[in-house]
Amino acid sequence: MAEAATGFLELLKSCIVWSWTYLWTVWFFLVLFLVYVLRVPLKINDNLSTVSMFLNTLTPKFYVALTGTSSLISGLILIFEWWYFRKYGTSFIEQVSVSHLRPLLGGVDNNSSNNSNSSNGDSDSNRQSVSECKVWRNPLNLFRGAEYNRYTWVTGREPLTYYDMNLSAQDHQTFFTCDSDHLRPADAIMQKAWRERNPQARISAAHEALEINEIRSRVEVPLIASSTIWEIKLLPKCATAYILLAEEEATTIAEAEKLFKQALKAGDGCYRRSQQLQHHGSQYEAQHRRDTNVLVYIKRRLAMCARRLGRTREAVKMMRDLMKEFPLLSMFNIHENLLEALLELQAYADVQAVLAKYDDISLPKSATICYTAALLKARAVSDKFSPEAASRRGLSTAEMNAVEAIHRAVEFNPHVPKYLLEMKSLILPPEHILKRGDSEAIAYAFFHLAHWKRVEGALNLLHCTWEGTFRMIPYPLEKGHLFYPYPICTETADRELLPSFHEVSVYPKKELPFFILFTAGLCSFTAMLALLTHQFPELMGVFAKAFLSTLFAPLNFVMEKVESILPSSLWHQLTRI
């Protein structure tokens, strides 16, 4: 009984809201009806005749002055609007109407209603004091020799910018060198090689390091003290030299994998020795930290080689073992490599388990995390989703969850959908990405487009819903919804990271506001009218009369029909009542 009463109250409330929504139309027709009824006592016809006589007595100079003044005023408004838009990025008239007129008219500011939402959840972790435009190492970066250079050979274009390669050189010096490298000749050569700009010089230095290491590592050890029989014992070679050769000299993934396996043998030996000596002083601790970075890098690249060569299950096992062995090394973002490989295997339960661990409030987000979570929720409803059916019956709970996940992902990186929907062409991803930028969108879509295509209806759901995100964040540079406001500096940083032949995606796209276009059109139109009226006053007068007669013809037709239908004594009957 209580449920029935509650349902009746809700129905009554919805009917009242609906009636108030369309009440203005009833009021409008009521006003027109009263004006018609009161046309005799208000002497509307006489007033119109007087106005028409006054307008007929005006000379063309008056119209020239009127249109010229209108053109001047609209031109001044246009200049001010353009200056304000160039300085502040928004329209002054639009901002005033939103800030001051909307509250007076009873509007609600969506941003204020969402303020409580943006103060919790993901925004808490993302409002930390970190640089907005921090550049991150791309966890899925390609191999220079086997992939980037082959692209250059085929197309003649350079897929990497100097800024991107310079950042990689800095990363290599940070991860693969330490202060004690000068004590070992091979490491000293590699320390210089990482700073070298010329690729051939780097490769030559790596070969030189391997040759020096091979010569100096031959230690003659007598098998028997009194014998002249000697054993040649080879010490581990320079692991970083193999890394450089695998990255830049190898022309195929198979060649790179062989070199990385040799690097693994050398790096594993160095890591075990430095692990035993790490507590003997700061110098040994720095060596151990360097050897750890080298070993993790080698194992991750070996897993990526296996993934490229089609051995996906082997790659997943290697990544899982690496994450268990070094759980604190999150700077390589190995979990993003794991997510991509699991999606290739269509192991969606395992993908959900990884997301449950890394899609956390306290951890930094990425396009891979947000869009993979959206893909999993879309997968549950996308095969049966129809926008026509959804508009008729409304969204179900599962569909609403999928749409909200897509909106969350689009708010984090709004550039991704155009690449997934193939509205914009892809290029090779850079070695570094800017989170929430175009570079991250390219890196994500390059590897994950196939996974979205594999899920039936997922791209259709994305196509129907992704643009709805922007209605929740009308001013993304000032206030976000689930994340912090969109960084302003992404466009500049992405232009440095991405090659010149790529058209960088910009968000929010600074289109000219409506009022600038309106004032420009008004200024031009009134100026043209002033000029024509001044040059051809009689002809413009004929055109004006013809235009006004055509404009009022429907109204006169309606009034004639109403007069023929209503009795002539209606007004007298109403006065008697």
Side-chain angles (χ1 to χ4, degrees):
M1 188 69 180
E3 293 180 358
T6 304
F8 176 76
L9 290 176
E10 291 293 334
L11 179 62
L12 182 62
K13 182 179 179 181
S14 62
C15 292
I16 294 174
V17 171
W18 179 86
S19 64
W20 277 99
T21 303
Y22 298 97
L23 188 63
W24 68 270
T25 56
V26 178
W27 177 85
F28 178 74
F29 284 110
L30 181 62
V31 169
L32 290 179
F33 178 74
L34 289 177
V35 168
Y36 173 77
V37 170
L38 298 175
R39 71 186 186 280
V40 175
L42 294 178
K43 300 180 179 179
I44 295 177
N45 293 331
D46 297 339
N47 292 331
L48 290 176
S49 301
T50 304
V51 171
S52 61
M53 290 176 60
F54 173 75
L55 293 177
N56 290 329
T57 58
L58 294 176
T59 62
K61 292 182 179 180
F62 171 80
Y63 294 104
V64 172
L66 177 64
T67 52
T69 305
S70 302
S71 177
L72 176 63
I73 294 174
S74 57
L76 293 176
I77 296 174
L78 172 63
I79 293 172
F80 175 76
E81 277 281 296
W82 178 257
W83 169 82
Y84 195 88
F85 173 72
R86 295 287 294 178
K87 187 173 183 179
Y88 299 104
T90 185
S91 167
F92 175 77
I93 301 176
E94 182 180 351
Q95 188 177 22
V96 170
S97 62
V98 170
S99 303
H100 302 286
L101 297 182
R102 182 186 290 180
L104 295 177
L105 296 175
V108 179
D109 189 1
N110 293 331
N111 293 333
S112 62
S113 64
N114 293 329
N115 190 26
S116 59
N117 295 332
S118 62
S119 62
N120 51 38
D122 295 334
S123 62
D124 289 342
S125 61
N126 290 312
R127 292 183 183 273
Q128 300 171 352
S129 57
V130 296
S131 174
E132 284 186 341
C133 288
K134 179 182 178 182
V135 177
W136 299 73
R137 182 81 177 177
N138 182 7
L140 295 169
N141 65 308
L142 306 178
F143 296 85
R144 281 198 192 178
E147 292 172 315
Y148 287 121
N149 287 348
R150 292 179 67 185
Y151 176 84
T152 304
W153 298 336
V154 173
T155 64
R157 291 177 170 182
E158 289 290 342
L160 298 176
T161 62
Y162 172 75
Y163 176 68
D164 192 14
M165 292 188 289
N166 187 47
L167 290 175
S168 297
Q170 296 177 17
D171 292 340
H172 295 152
Q173 293 174 51
T174 302
F175 295 149
F176 303 150
T177 63
C178 64
D179 296 336
S180 61
D181 282 347
H182 65 278
L183 300 177
R184 293 184 289 188
D187 290 335
I189 293 175
M190 289 306 302
Q191 194 174 40
K192 295 179 181 179
W194 295 123
R195 299 193 187 101
E196 184 63 51
R197 294 184 180 180
N198 188 357
Q200 293 301 323
R202 287 195 299 269
I203 294 173
S204 300
H207 283 292
E208 182 183 354
L210 290 176
E211 292 172 1
I212 289 180
N213 201 348
E214 184 175 355
I215 293 172
R216 298 182 68 91
S217 64
R218 290 182 180 272
V219 180
E220 294 182 346
V221 181
L223 294 176
I224 305 174
S226 60
S227 175
T228 57
I229 302 175
W230 298 81
E231 177 193 10
I232 304 300
K233 183 179 180 181
L234 295 178
L235 298 178
K237 294 184 178 181
C238 182
T240 53
Y242 282 118
I243 290 177
L244 193 148
L245 295 177
E247 291 284 355
E248 301 193 21
E249 188 182 40
T251 57
T252 63
I253 301 297
E255 293 178 15
E257 186 181 33
K258 292 179 182 178
L259 290 169
F260 273 121
K261 287 181 178 179
Q262 292 179 281
L264 180 61
K265 294 179 181 179
D268 191 53
C270 294
Y271 171 76
R272 295 183 186 280
R273 285 196 303 275
S274 62
Q275 189 178 27
Q276 298 173 357
L277 302 173
Q278 61 176 319
H279 302 296
H280 291 186
S282 59
Q283 177 180 338
Y284 294 101
E285 185 179 354
Q287 288 182 8
H288 178 65
R289 186 164 53 249
R290 188 273 310 271
D291 293 338
T292 302
N293 291 335
V294 170
L295 185 63
V296 172
Y297 184 89
I298 293 170
K299 289 187 175 182
R300 185 176 72 92
R301 294 303 262 178
L302 277 173
M304 294 176 69
C305 288
R307 168 69 184 90
R308 297 282 204 285
L309 295 173
R311 306 195 306 269
T312 310
R313 295 189 182 278
E314 179 185 345
V316 168
K317 182 179 183 305
M318 294 172 69
M319 293 173 192
R320 290 188 185 277
D321 294 341
L322 185 58
M323 294 168 66
K324 290 179 182 178
E325 187 177 359
F326 302 97
L328 300 178
L329 284 180
S330 59
M331 57 186 172
F332 291 107
N333 292 325
I334 306 171
H335 61 276
E336 297 195 11
N337 299 85
L338 179 60
L339 284 173
E340 195 279 327
L342 290 173
L343 286 172
E344 178 65 22
L345 294 175
Q346 302 185 40
Y348 297 111
D350 294 336
V351 173
Q352 185 62 56
V354 176
L355 285 178
K357 182 178 180 181
Y358 289 97
D359 192 5
D360 188 76
I361 294 176
S362 60
L363 298 177
K365 297 295 180 291
S366 66
T368 301
I369 293 292
C370 295
Y371 277 90
T372 302
L375 176 61
L376 291 188
K377 291 186 178 180
R379 176 177 170 268
V381 298
S382 60
D383 56 338
K384 300 178 182 178
F385 177 78
S386 171
E388 294 80 9
S391 62
R392 288 196 305 268
R393 59 173 170 77
L395 295 175
S396 64
T397 304
E399 290 174 339
M400 184 64 69
N401 292 335
V403 171
E404 289 177 354
I406 290 175
H407 287 177
R408 171 179 178 257
V410 174
E411 182 183 353
F412 182 83
N413 194 316
H415 309 284
V416 173
K418 286 191 175 182
Y419 293 107
L420 292 181
L421 297 173
E422 298 182 273
M423 300 166 64
K424 197 172 182 183
S425 59
L426 274 172
I427 61 171
L428 294 185
E431 293 183 338
H432 289 81
I433 58 173
L434 183 67
K435 288 194 174 181
R436 307 188 71 179
D438 191 29
S439 52
E440 184 191 33
I442 292 171
Y444 173 79
F446 187 85
F447 290 98
H448 288 262
L449 176 59
H451 307 320
W452 279 81
K453 287 184 174 181
R454 190 178 294 117
V455 177
E456 183 182 357
L459 290 176
N460 177 45
L461 179 61
L462 178 68
H463 174 72
C464 296
T465 58
W466 73 280
E467 290 182 335
T469 311
F470 307 125
R471 290 193 292 269
M472 300 185 298
I473 42 175
Y475 301 100
L477 299 179
E478 302 170 11
K479 185 180 293 184
H481 178 61
L482 297 174
F483 298 97
Y484 56 93
Y486 190 80
I488 304 175
C489 56
T490 52
E491 179 183 356
T492 305
D494 276 333
R495 291 190 188 280
E496 295 287 336
L497 288 171
L498 297 173
S500 58
F501 58 83
H502 173 72
E503 182 182 354
V504 176
S505 177
V506 180
Y507 173 78
K509 189 176 182 181
K510 289 187 177 181
E511 297 178 349
L512 288 177
F514 165 76
F515 287 104
I516 288 183
L517 301 176
F518 176 76
T519 52
L522 181 63
C523 177
S524 304
F525 180 70
T526 51
M528 182 183 66
L529 284 181
L531 179 63
L532 292 175
T533 307
H534 177 71
Q535 294 292 330
F536 312 102
E538 296 180 358
L539 184 61
M540 288 301 296
V542 174
F543 278 130
K545 291 179 181 179
F547 174 75
L548 291 176
S549 61
T550 305
L551 183 65
F552 287 104
L555 180 61
N556 294 330
F557 176 77
V558 171
M559 292 185 66
E560 290 176 359
K561 290 295 182 181
V562 171
E563 289 178 353
S564 62
I565 295 174
L566 294 177
S568 58
S569 60
L570 179 63
W571 167 245
H572 300 288
Q573 295 176 4
L574 289 175
T575 54
R576 292 177 182 177
I577 294 174

